[in-house]
Every structure is written in C-alpha cells, then in structure tokens.
Amino acid sequence: MAALLVLAFLLGIASASSSQAPLIRKLSLLLTSSLGPERLANPHCAGDPFCTFNDWVNAFFFSDSTKAGTIERLGPAGAHYLLTYLRDLLAGSALYYVTAGVWHVYIYQLYGDYFFTQQGFEKPSAATIKDQIQLAQASMFLYAALPVLAEWFVEKGWTLCYYNIEDVGGWPYYLAFTLLYMSIVEVGVYWMHRTLHENKTLYKYIHGLHHKYNKPSTLSPWASVAFNPIDGILQASPYVVCLFIVPCHYLTHVALVFFTAVWATNIHDAMDGDTEPVMGSKYHTMHHTHYHYNFGQFFIFADWMFGTLRVPEPRGAKAVRRPEGGRAGTAATPMAGMMGEGVVSRVRSKKAE
C-alpha cells in the first residue's frame, strides 16, 4: 500500500510537467497570482526548465529585493545556487520539525498510554530528544547542499534527468524507468549503509554517531536525520549517482528526495507494525539494536537478496485495548506467506549467532 501511495504521488508530480511550455506558463501564472505581478526572474535560468522550476520555488521564500541584491553581489549563477541552498535549508528544517513534531504528538501524547504505558515500554527522555534535535539541525547545514549539487549536475546536462514525459518516450517508459531508478537507488542505499557499518573507519568516525541511539527507548521521530552530515550525504548519494545511470523525471527525483525525509521520521519511532514488503519501523529498530541487519531504506528486498534480513519478533505479547476502531493484540508477520516459511526460518535462525 505504501509503495502504491508513493507511486501515485510520483505520477501526480510527473503529470504536472508532461509538457514543458504549458508548465512554465502555469508556474508564471501561479507566481503572479500568489506573489504579485512582475516578479523578478533570475537570468541564469532563462530557457532552462530545471533552473526555472527552482527559481519559481525560491520566489516563495525570498523577495525580489533580496534576489536582486544577491544577484548584484554574486552574479546570476551564484545568487541562484545560494538562494536555492538557503531555501533547501529552511524547507528541510521546517519539514523535520513539522513531521517529527506531528508524529511526536500522535505517538507520545495522544496515544502514548496505548503505545507505551499499557505495554510497559519506555518513552525516550526529554534529554534524548533534545540531543537528537540539536544533532539533526547541525547536520542540516551541510546536508541541504546535496540537492543543490544535484541540480547543478542536471543543469550541466551531465545526467540522464529529463523534464518532459515526451522526452523519454511517453508514460510507459516513464513508469518503467521510474521503477528501475527506485530499485537501483534502493540497492545503492543498502550497500552504502552496509559499507558504513562494515568499514571500521567509516563506522567509527561517521556512522557510529547515529548508532548511539541503540535501543528502543532512545529512538524517536526526532532521530530521523540525527547523524553526522557526511553520513546523511553518503546515504542520500545514490539518488544523485543514479541520475547518471537511469533516466529519471526531475520532479520525480525531487519528490523522492522529499519523501525520504518523511519516511526517516516514520522508521525511527520504534513502533511495531506489519508492513512487508515495506521496510517499516520494526525492521529499523532491529537495525539499531543489532547493527548487522536490515540496511534497506524503503523495502526489504535488498536485505533479503543479500542475506542481511532479520524479521523482528513483536515488541510485546500483551493483548491490550487498541484505540478506537482497532483490534486487540499484535498481528503475526506475513513474511512466511510472502517468501516461504523456509526463508523466514533461516532468517530467524540468525538469532542464535
């Protein structure tokens, strides 16, 4: 279901730009109606749909006087990339606080009694959450530069990124290439994440910082991007590298990068839930407590293929009263039905290691 929702979202993003000229006109009309007439356009972006899109988004963050002053000091190109970086920093920070904040209220305050108190689980302390927020915000200053670098590669024409559905041959090709892009990115994220664990130097100086949150009571939605900024860039780098390998719609790429930030909030909440084949939070909690399993991002297939999948047992066996409309108890995992009982048994046997 989650995969279908993601795909539907990407289709919506792509359909909005199936033709370059109409989209640019729509952006201009929307910019005029939303922000006032005769907004300043950065000359660096003239004739470039990728740059024009980002210049349009920047107009929601910065006034014409700010843009004009920055252009005067840094030139059109320097101004565009600086403002795009500052926009990503502001937007990324806002996304972090909104998604983590909403999830915090939901699982700790509205339903904290059900999710934690009734089942005897410990909530993360205020000190832990404060530490995660401070680390996440510090990492954001460097992490926000990666999308700007990706845009620069795209504008230079070095990638296979495209802007119009027609450029790749129509919707069937868009769907096929999008699924291929997502699959290769998933494998790339898996191996980057696994390398950060298996390379002792990388783990000690980069990735180990994130793994100080090594038990359920130290995980929370606020831990989503609480890591060394180099760590975040390395794990997100497959999204950029794969633009050189597989044709990808630009707005689809942007949407996927956006969605990863939301997804990271979800998988760090230390909650139970059967989400297969999606890599839900119960799998990522297992990763934080056992280190050598479940390196995937959105799906479990890479861990299954490369022998690092570990299926978690439910956190608690108590049958407690669920919130309105739910069922009591915890559901059995559907992994056996999906991949065969033999596979699940072999994976679970790793507990003896």
Side-chain angles (χ1 to χ4, degrees):
M1 179 59 72
L4 291 176
L5 290 174
V6 173
L7 186 57
F9 178 61
L10 298 180
L11 287 173
I13 290 292
S15 65
S17 58
S18 58
S19 178
Q20 173 182 332
L23 176 64
I24 298 301
R25 287 197 295 269
K26 289 178 182 178
L27 294 182
S28 300
L29 290 173
L30 183 57
L31 184 61
T32 300
S33 61
S34 302
L35 303 176
E38 300 179 358
R39 292 302 304 267
L40 175 65
N42 191 315
H44 171 71
C45 298
D48 187 326
F50 308 106
C51 189
T52 298
F53 171 78
N54 282 288
D55 188 43
W56 172 73
V57 176
N58 288 347
F60 288 87
F61 289 80
F62 306 105
S63 66
D64 281 356
S65 60
T66 299
K67 181 185 290 188
T70 309
I71 291 175
E72 182 179 353
R73 290 173 177 82
L74 301 178
H80 174 71
Y81 292 119
L82 175 62
L83 294 179
T84 300
Y85 163 75
L86 293 175
R87 177 206 75 195
D88 288 344
L89 178 61
L90 292 171
S93 298
L95 180 64
Y96 170 72
Y97 288 108
V98 169
T99 54
V102 168
W103 206 234
H104 177 108
V105 170
Y106 179 78
I107 66 174
Y108 298 137
Q109 296 181 354
L110 294 181
Y111 293 112
D113 180 64
Y114 165 71
F115 288 132
F116 293 91
T117 305
Q118 290 186 44
Q119 302 187 55
F121 301 138
E122 182 183 354
K123 297 179 184 179
S125 67
T128 296
I129 291 176
K130 180 181 178 182
D131 177 75
Q132 291 170 352
I133 291 174
Q134 290 175 336
L135 181 55
Q137 186 60 74
S139 75
M140 203 79 69
F141 286 96
L142 186 56
Y143 189 53
L146 183 62
V148 184
L149 179 63
E151 184 198 344
W152 184 72
F153 286 147
V154 170
E155 287 182 19
K156 287 291 185 180
W158 296 343
T159 72
L160 299 179
C161 206
Y162 61 94
Y163 202 82
N164 305 305
I165 300 298
E166 291 81 0
D167 293 342
V168 78
W171 285 101
Y173 287 98
Y174 165 79
L175 290 172
F177 282 130
T178 298
L179 290 174
L180 181 60
Y181 174 79
M182 292 177 65
S183 298
I184 296 178
V185 166
E186 184 73 21
V187 173
V189 171
Y190 168 88
W191 278 109
M192 179 59 71
H193 192 182
R194 182 169 173 176
T195 300
L196 286 165
H197 276 261
E198 295 181 347
N199 183 291
K200 294 181 179 179
T201 301
L202 291 176
Y203 187 84
K204 180 179 180 180
Y205 294 105
I206 296 179
H207 192 58
L209 181 62
H210 185 61
H211 273 273
K212 66 179 179 177
Y213 312 120
N214 58 5
K215 53 186 179 180
S217 62
T218 60
L219 289 171
S220 83
W222 302 100
S224 58
V225 290
F227 39 52
N228 183 309
I230 300 299
D231 189 351
I233 289 175
L234 288 174
Q235 290 199 60
S237 63
Y239 284 94
V240 180
V241 173
C242 287
L243 293 177
F244 293 84
I245 301 173
V246 180
C248 181
H249 192 282
Y250 181 69
L251 298 188
T252 298
H253 163 74
V254 171
L256 282 170
V257 173
F258 171 88
F259 186 75
T260 58
V262 178
W263 186 250
T265 300
N266 173 266
I267 63 174
H268 284 89
D269 62 13
M271 306 299 292
D272 279 335
D274 295 325
T275 57
E276 295 84 355
V278 173
M279 178 70 75
S281 56
K282 70 177 184 180
Y283 285 94
H284 200 68
T285 299
M286 173 69 73
H287 171 75
H288 272 264
T289 58
H290 290 72
Y291 299 97
H292 302 296
Y293 305 96
N294 304 346
F295 298 104
Q297 182 182 31
F298 289 141
F299 302 101
I300 64 175
F301 76 84
D303 284 283
W304 175 65
M305 286 172 56
F306 299 114
T308 55
L309 180 66
R310 181 163 180 174
V311 182
E313 296 290 346
R315 273 201 310 170
K318 288 185 179 180
V320 297
R321 183 172 59 83
R322 295 180 63 87
E324 294 281 334
R327 295 182 301 171
T330 53
T333 175
M335 286 294 295
M338 186 183 71
M339 294 192 296
E341 187 61 43
V343 173
V344 177
S345 298
R346 288 195 296 274
V347 172
R348 285 178 172 165
S349 68
K350 291 183 179 181
K351 292 180 180 179
E353 297 178 359

